């Protein structure tokens, strides 16, 4: 090897020598794709990411409040579980977020990037409010509730179907399309808020405050229970739908490979439309739960950003409805806990978004270590000869 | 010159431009990012961070000094703004380019995070000022930022329509023109477009794909951040209020589609969007619109964007499609 | 470094050092060893062929020379100097240029833009000036191409020309061509070889990857053989012959004696008449194809890649819209003749037509890579489940049967098929398609990328189907296989039938001629 390392006549060779001397180091490490990882390892990495993120949150809290991590965590836990009301509120918010996450999941499994859940929820909520306002005195409570459910789901479904139609037939970019649909929905809701507010304040106020017509009935002593039960039932149904039904199987096939789907005779357009119909209808249903079962009013903020947060919930749970219970709980816990921190330490509410942002970044980042591995380079023989 | 032109159209045009400038910054920045194949849905959060960055810089400087030095008074908020939005771009790149995380999820999380940070810092500053209104008021910095060309008023309606804006507005147009030039007429632009169209090809051609993605996304984020700065310092007269930025970030994303990923078209597109954003005020006067109908008119930019989106998917012309690799991460050793 | 390493052997001058040398190169992907301890050497002014079956690691090896992959182990020497090639950029620095099998071109750019892409020569970016220089190179080597044409408007051979010009323009001294002839007509291949010989005379080193023996013998000075990622050896072309190379390539001598029985119970099963269709740009792909597939025989389809084979099979399977023509299926049970044109795959199945189809793109069309074997088995049968639900039991049984009968190497039936090797993936796919007891069985390049044993497994399965009275349609690329396996061969070129021949009597040259003939006609059509 030594003998032909010298006396390089050609230009190319002398260039190469220079380059070689510059290039003393091999890349320190390089990235390779991993084979499957056992589930306990991958979950270990995810949990480690959350723990790491919580340490960063504690550090962040320490800088702001000069309190030690234990105190901060205690405040967070207290904010989430401190009183019975807080626990109910935690459960209800988890359920509602979970509901929207469930709704977007079929579409996402199909690799249809529906970021229009916000608008679909709003449209569902709007129609629900319309029923409560306009049909309240025209029919029995049971019938009214039924009409509300159907109408809300229909509204959400239509809002989901429009982009799906253009995606299925002309491959219009669904991410951007659904995003735009959100703002159209916001405008429409805002418009009706003005109409229904009468005086032009733009606030609808509590609908049927006295009569409670069209309000979701209480199950037991708490207003939240029925919402939570409905969404839990929905979780199980959706899990079964995705895992064990023909539709669910078709969704997976279309998501993995449209060509394969065509090959075995799945009507891809039909599946896209059907799945977005389902996704939109479920969003509409959550809109109805928000208006009829929770807020008893409608506003542009009814969806409250859940349409976007739900995407993260669904994605973090790998589109598995059962895992989504955990991920939505995690996000809501962080928001509630952070809110308590801001109240106790006199900070402002926005801290919740920052904390959940940090945790999500860590978990998103941790996926890299599940899918790839870093290979460190070992010293090579060439160098030892020097 | 008709009265309509002078009393209605000229002020309308000027206001449309002022509304359009933040969108132009945001869309130019987003185009650069998307040309590298990354759909950055964190742009609204990034613009928000650019805004609060400027506010923090200006706040610190106003607190420290009685009489603002005009140069520092502009440079400090500007650099703070660039730093904040640049960091957002860096975070997005680290997650999506280096760690290859899902772009949609990362982008949405970044927007949540950016808006959260903005409101947090904004809220904290409001608390420090102990003001009665929930605002941070930076009139002195605003006065520096909104300086217009001295001869504008002497040129009548033409001066008003063309020369009556602050320097950031002209900067937005200049940046868009430069971006268009770089993309279409330079080697760097050729390489960047190749990265977004086919990263494997660019890689094989010896282009450092990751570096192009990083640089274009961070520079794009900084440009977008200037949109936030302009909004606060010029449009909002130096008054920060939480959540005041509205949906302008998403409108900038829409503008990218509306102008078919072309920064030069973006200049006109931004004015059109700016006009659509405020046209309801004029229609109210002209047509006696109710509040409710005004709200409906506000959806026009989004409807128009959807129509454009539908039109380009129907036509399927190769040159008007989004960058072919938009939204997909690149891993060289994919097998 | 020069001072530290004095010349210890003065007789060895560096100019004689090989242009490029690889020592002990190893590369793994996950658990797959793509290259194991490979050595390779190319001198200045010579053409080295790298021979090996699909999947023998040729492309991976070349990707390491061109900086796409980085080796796990081993050393690379250029002109006797050890070098590190960490990126394509490094490869350019050492004047290495690679022409990939899948062209690395940006569709939206013009030829010129693609040629200067990645160039950092410190000059002003002036496309017109670059265009002139490129035109000069075209003139020198006799390439005819419109440099301002966008890639998406180009034919395959035009794209390849752009790739070669690109490498030449960079002044590459070491050229690597990855299966350059796979997509070319014989004429185009000859033109390419003439260019390569001219480059060799100019002192360039050329590495050409191929698995076509006659090309190896006609173009190269020396041949290096790889088999399953292992380096087997290097021989001088002048001192070798086809059978020696084959032996090196497959490891042991395997005669290509494919069993062929006489067709029995021959009936017209599928009558295809005057099929026409167009591609996305509206250009004709199928230009009036007619033929009959008979039960109890294997009909081979020969032709240069991309002559319309894929569209033809997809049209029959109900996946390709037609502008003209009929597809008639004679149902053996009911005796009825059904027209399959404009029917979806589901409608075809509902007519009682038992049509099986092994598409060319196994993981992209025939199977779902991320699903396990059981769920892939279910692709054909999932509709049989009760009500709206799936029944995973029958597919699970089928998966186990196929794994044991066809000797599929897999940890379990719950393994995603993406993790299986090419041959095992194909066994899973063919096994599933056969399980539905078809009357028409279509397979596109079913042995592509398979080792010799897996290939024979597939041939036997096809023969079994034939003996069961199935009408088998086999699209192949290896003429030797087509001649030994099929009963009749349909030759198509540029989307039209150029001949139907008896596989028992026809010669390879005759088939080759038919393939060429159409290519010429296609050429004149394009020229209009």
């Amino acid at each position: 090897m030594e003998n032909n390392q010298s006396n390089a006549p050609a230009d190319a060779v002398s260039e190469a020598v220079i380059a070689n001397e510059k290039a003393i180091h091999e890349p320190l490490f390089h990235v390779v794709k991993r084979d499957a990882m056992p589930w306990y390892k991958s979950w270990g990495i995810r949990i480690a990411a959350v723990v790491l993120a919580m340490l960063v949150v504690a550090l962040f809290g320490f800088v702001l409040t000069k309190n030690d991590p234990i105190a901060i965590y205690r405040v967070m836990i207290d904010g989430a579980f401190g009183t019975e009301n807080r626990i109910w509120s935690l459960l209800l918010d988890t359920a509602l977020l979970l509901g929207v996450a469930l709704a977007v999941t079929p579409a996402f499994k199909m690799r249809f990037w529906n970021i229009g859940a916000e608008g679909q929820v709003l449209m569902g909520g709007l129609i629900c409010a319309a029923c409560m306002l306009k049909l309240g005195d025209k029919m029995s409570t049971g019938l009214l509730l039924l009409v509300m459910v159907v109408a809300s789901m229909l509204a959400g479904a239509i809002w989901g179907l429009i982009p799906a139609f253009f995606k299925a037939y002309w491959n219009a970019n669904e991410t951007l399309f659904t995003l735009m649909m959100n703002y159209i929905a916001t405008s429409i809701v805002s418009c009706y808020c003005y109409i229904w507010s009468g005086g032009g304040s733009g606030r609808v106020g509590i609908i049927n405050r006295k009569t409670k017509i069209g309000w979701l009935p209480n199950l037991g002593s708490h207003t939240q229970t029925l919402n939570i039960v409905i969404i839990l039932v929905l979780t199980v149904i959706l899990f079964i739908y995705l895992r064990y039904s023909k539709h669910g199987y078709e969704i997976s096939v279309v998501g993995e490979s449209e060509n394969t789907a065509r090959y075995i005779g799945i009507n891809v357009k039909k599946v896209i439309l059907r799945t977005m119909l389902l996704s939109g209808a479920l969003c509409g249903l959550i809109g109805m739960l928000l208006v009829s079962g929770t807020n008893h009013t409608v506003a542009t903020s009814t969806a409250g950003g859940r349409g976007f947060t739900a995407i993260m919930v669904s994605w973090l749970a790998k589109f598995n409805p059962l895992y989504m219970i955990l991920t939505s709980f995690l996000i809501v816990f962080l928001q509630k806990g952070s809110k308590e921190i801001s109240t106790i330490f006199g900070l402002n509410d926005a801290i919740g978004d920052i904390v959940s942002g940090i945790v999500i970044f860590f978990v998103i980042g941790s996926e890299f270590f599940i899918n790839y591995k870093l290979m460190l380079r070992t010293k090579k023989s060439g160098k030892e000869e020097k | 010159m008709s009265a309509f032109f002078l009393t209605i159209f000229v002020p309308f045009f000027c206001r449309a431009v002022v509304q359009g400038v933040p969108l132009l910054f945001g869309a130019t920045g987003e185009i650069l990012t998307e040309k590298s194949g990354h759909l950055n849905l964190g742009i609204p959060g990034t613009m928000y961070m650019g805004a609060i960055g400027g506010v923090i810089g200006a706040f610190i400087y106003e607190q420290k000094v009685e009489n603002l030095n005009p140069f520092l008074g502009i440079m400090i908020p500007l650099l703070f703004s660039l730093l904040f939005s640049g960091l957002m771009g860096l975070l997005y790149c680290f997650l999506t380019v280096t760690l290859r995380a899902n772009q949609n999820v990362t982008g949405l999380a970044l927007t949540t995070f950016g808006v959260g940070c903005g409101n947090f810092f904004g809220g904290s500053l409001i608390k420090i000022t102990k003001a009665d209104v929930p605002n941070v008021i930076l009139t002195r910095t605003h006065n520096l930022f909104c300086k217009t060309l001295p001869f504008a008023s002497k040129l009548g309606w033409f001066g008003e329509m063309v020369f009556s804006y602050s320097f950031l507005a002209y900067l937005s147009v200049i940046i868009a023109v430069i971006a268009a030039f770089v993309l279409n007429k330079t080697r760097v632009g050729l390489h960047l477009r190749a990265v977004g169209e086919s990263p494997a090809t660019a890689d094989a051609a010896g282009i450092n794909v990751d570096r192009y993605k990083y640089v274009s996304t961070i520079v794009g984020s900084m440009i977008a951040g200037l949109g936030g700065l302009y909004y606060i310092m010029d449009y909002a007269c130096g008054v920060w209020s939480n959540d005041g930025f509205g949906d302008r970030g998403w409108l900038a994303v829409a503008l990218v589609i509306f102008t078919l990923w072309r920064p030069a078209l973006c200049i006109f597109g931004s004015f059109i969007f700016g006009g659509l954003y405020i046209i309801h005020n004029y229609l109210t006067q002209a047509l006696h619109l109710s509040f409710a109908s005004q709200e409906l008119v506000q959806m026009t930019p989004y409807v128009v964007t959807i129509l454009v989106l539908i039109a380009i998917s129907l036509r399927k012309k190769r040159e008007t499609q989004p960058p072919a690799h938009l939204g997909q991460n690149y891993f060289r050793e994919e097998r | 470094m020069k001072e530290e390493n004095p010349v210890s052997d003065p007789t060895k001058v560096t100019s004689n050092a090989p242009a490029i040398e690889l020592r002990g190169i190893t590369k793994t992907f996950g658990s797959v060893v793509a290259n194991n301890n490979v050595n390779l050497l190319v001198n200045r002014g010579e053409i080295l062929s790298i021979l090996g079956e699909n999947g023998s690691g040729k492309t991976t090896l070349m990707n390491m020379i061109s900086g796409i992959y980085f080796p796990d182990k081993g050393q690379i020497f250029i002109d006797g100097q050890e070098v590190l090639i960490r990126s394509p950029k490094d490869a350019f620095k050492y004047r290495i240029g690679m022409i990939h099998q899948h062209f690395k071109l940006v569709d939206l750019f013009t030829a010129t833009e693609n040629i200067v892409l990645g160039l950092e020569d410190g000059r002003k970016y002036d496309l017109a000036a670059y265009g002139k220089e490129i035109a000069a190179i075209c003139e020198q080597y006799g390439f005819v191409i419109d440099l301002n044409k966008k890639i998406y408007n180009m034919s395959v051979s035009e794209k390849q020309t752009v790739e070669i010009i690109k490498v030449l323009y960079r002044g590459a001294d070491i050229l690597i061509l990855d299966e350059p002839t796979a997509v070319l007509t014989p004429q185009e291949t000859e033109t390419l070889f003439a260019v390569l010989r001219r480059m060799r005379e100019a002192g360039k080193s050329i590495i050409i990857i191929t698995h076509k023996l006659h090309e190896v013998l006609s173009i190269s000075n020396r041949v290096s053989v790889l088999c399953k990622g292992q380096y087997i050896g290097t021989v001088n072309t002048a001192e070798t012959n086809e059978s020696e190379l084959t032996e090196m390539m497959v490891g042991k001598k395997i005669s290509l004696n494919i069993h062929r029985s006489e067709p029995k119970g021959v009936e017209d099963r599928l009558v295809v008449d005057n099929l026409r269709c167009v591609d996305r740009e509206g250009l004709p792909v199928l230009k009036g194809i007619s033929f009959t597939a008979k039960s109890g025989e294997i009909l081979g389809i020969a032709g240069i890649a991309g002559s319309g084979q894929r569209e033809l099979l997809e049209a029959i399977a109900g996946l390709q819209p037609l502008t003209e023509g009929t597809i008639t299926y004679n149902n053996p049970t009911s005796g009825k003749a059904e027209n399959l044109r404009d029917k979806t795959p589901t409608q075809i199945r509902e007519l009682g037509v038992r049509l099986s189809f092994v598409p060319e793109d196994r993981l992209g069309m025939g199977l779902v890579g991320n699903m396990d074997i059981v769920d892939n088995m279910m692709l054909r049968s999932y509709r049989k489940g009760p009500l709206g639900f799936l029944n995973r039991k029958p597919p699970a049984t089928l998966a186990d049967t196929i794994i044991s009968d066809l000797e599929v190497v897999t940890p379990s039936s719950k393994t995603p098929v993406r993790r299986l090797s090419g041959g095992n993936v194909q066994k899973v796919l063919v096994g599933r398609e056969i399980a539905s007891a078809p009357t028409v069985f279509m397979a596109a390049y079913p042995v592509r990328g398979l080792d010799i044993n897996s290939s024979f497994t597939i041939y036997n399965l096809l023969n079994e189907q034939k003996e069961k009275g199935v009408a088998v349609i086999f699209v192949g690329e290896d003429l030797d296989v087509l001649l030994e396996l099929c009963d009749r061969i349909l030759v198509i070129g540029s989307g039209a039938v150029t001949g139907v021949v008896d596989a028992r009597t026809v010669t390879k040259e005759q088939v080759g001629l038919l393939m060429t003939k159409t290519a010429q006609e296609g050429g004149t059509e394009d020229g209009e």
Side-chain angles (χ1 to χ4, degrees), chain C residues 299-302 482-483 486-491 499-501 503 506 511:
Chain C
L299 174 71
I301 297 184
L482 280 162
L483 290 179
C486 303
D487 298 296
R488 288 183 305 140
I489 298 174
L490 175 83
V491 190
V500 182
V501 293
V506 77
V511 176

Side-chain angles (χ1 to χ4, degrees), chain A residues 30-33 60 64 108 113 115 166 169-177 179-181 183-184 186-188 190-192 194-195 200 308-309 311-312 315-316 342 346-348 350-351 353-358 360-362 364-369 372, chain B residues 34 39 41 91 95 98-102 104-106 108-110 112-113 115-124 127 242 247 250 253-254 257 261 291-293 295-303 305-306 309-310 313-314 316 322 326 331 333-335:
Chain A
H30 77 300
V31 175
V32 287
K33 206 151 196 175
F60 180 65
L64 291 173
F108 273 37
W113 295 100
I115 56 175
F166 287 99
Y169 286 88
W170 294 285
N171 199 26
N173 186 315
E174 76 278 13
T175 315
L176 301 168
F177 203 128
L179 182 65
M180 300 302 125
M181 292 297 282
Y183 291 95
I184 297 178
T186 310
S187 284
I188 294 175
S190 176
C191 165
Y192 276 95
Y194 273 105
I195 294 175
F308 295 117
T309 316
I311 293 167
M312 299 176 231
W315 192 83
L316 293 179
S342 58
L347 303 165
N348 77 50
I351 197 171
D353 287 340
I354 300 179
V355 168
S356 37
I358 291 173
I360 291 168
F361 288 143
F362 270 86
I364 295 173
S366 75
E367 290 296 315
F368 173 80
F369 298 96
Y372 301 91
Chain B
E34 290 194 16
L39 178 65
L41 292 179
L91 182 57
L95 287 166
T98 304
L99 297 186
R100 297 175 180 86
N102 181 296
N104 289 331
V105 178
T106 310
L108 292 174
L110 200 68
T112 309
F113 180 75
V115 173
C117 280
N119 284 339
F120 175 74
F121 289 127
S124 307
K127 206 161 270 172
N242 277 359
D247 54 1
W250 296 119
V253 177
I257 310 157
W261 292 265
F291 281 121
S293 331
E295 294 297 330
L296 278 186
V297 175
Q298 287 206 315
M299 69 166 119
T300 337
Y302 299 108
V303 175
T305 302
I306 285 182
L309 198 59
I310 292 171
S313 4
L314 288 180
K316 288 194 167 52
L326 185 64
F331 180 51
E333 299 194 5
E334 197 85 64
R335 243 174 83 113

Side-chain angles (χ1 to χ4, degrees), chain C residues 120-281:
Chain C
E120 298 282 2
D121 53 5
R123 284 163 53 189
K124 193 170 160 276
Y125 175 72
D126 179 355
L127 282 177
Y130 283 123
K132 271 187 199 152
E133 294 172 18
I134 296 165
I137 289 180
C138 292
E139 191 135 342
Q140 187 189 339
Y141 289 96
F143 295 119
V144 182
I145 194 156
D146 176 4
L147 291 173
N148 292 319
K149 199 169 173 183
K150 294 208 170 169
I151 301 298
Y152 67 82
N153 285 325
M154 285 188 177
S155 71
V156 182
S157 116
E158 279 178 298
K159 288 179 191 172
Q160 190 181 58
T161 308
V162 174
E163 285 278 18
I164 295 173
I165 298 172
K166 184 160 100 182
V167 171
L168 289 173
Y169 182 74
R170 307 279 161 106
D173 286 333
I174 300 166
L175 280 93
I176 304 164
L177 294 101
D178 189 358
E179 301 202 17
T181 60
V183 290
L184 299 183
T185 63
Q187 283 78 9
E188 288 167 337
T189 305
E190 266 319 303
T191 317
L192 173 70
F193 282 4
V195 170
L196 295 184
R197 289 193 186 103
R198 231 169 296 167
M199 290 185 211
R200 173 169 63 188
E201 279 154 30
K204 305 207 184 244
S205 311
I206 296 161
I207 303 176
I208 174 168
I209 297 178
T210 179
H211 47 218
K212 296 181 186 167
L213 289 173
H214 67 276
E215 291 180 359
V216 169
L217 294 169
S218 84
I219 185 90
S220 58
N221 301 79
R222 293 185 304 123
V223 191
S224 292
V225 184
L226 293 183
C227 179
K228 291 173 190 159
Q230 305 282 348
Y231 171 70
I232 305 299
T234 303
V235 289
N236 288 327
T237 314
E239 299 158 11
T240 188
N241 54 44
E242 290 206 9
S243 68
E244 189 193 6
L245 289 177
T246 316
E247 203 179 312
M248 288 173 80
M249 199 163 87
V250 298
K252 60 185 177 207
K253 190 152 187 141
I254 294 170
S255 70
L256 207 66
N257 279 329
I258 302 170
H259 167 74
R260 174 162 56 191
S261 59
E262 284 299 317
K264 274 178 288 202
V266 178
E267 293 169 31
D268 289 1
R269 181 67 61 231
L270 194 69
V271 183
V272 168
D273 186 42
N274 192 29
L275 289 197
R276 286 172 193 275
C277 76
V278 292
D279 66 9
R280 289 175 95 188
E281 273 82 36

Side-chain angles (χ1 to χ4, degrees), chain C residues 58-73:
Chain C
K58 296 167 296 188
T59 303
T60 306
L61 187 65
M62 293 304 111
N63 276 337
M64 282 187 278
I65 302 179
S66 60
I68 302 283
Y69 299 151
F70 194 84
D72 296 342
K73 254 190 254 165

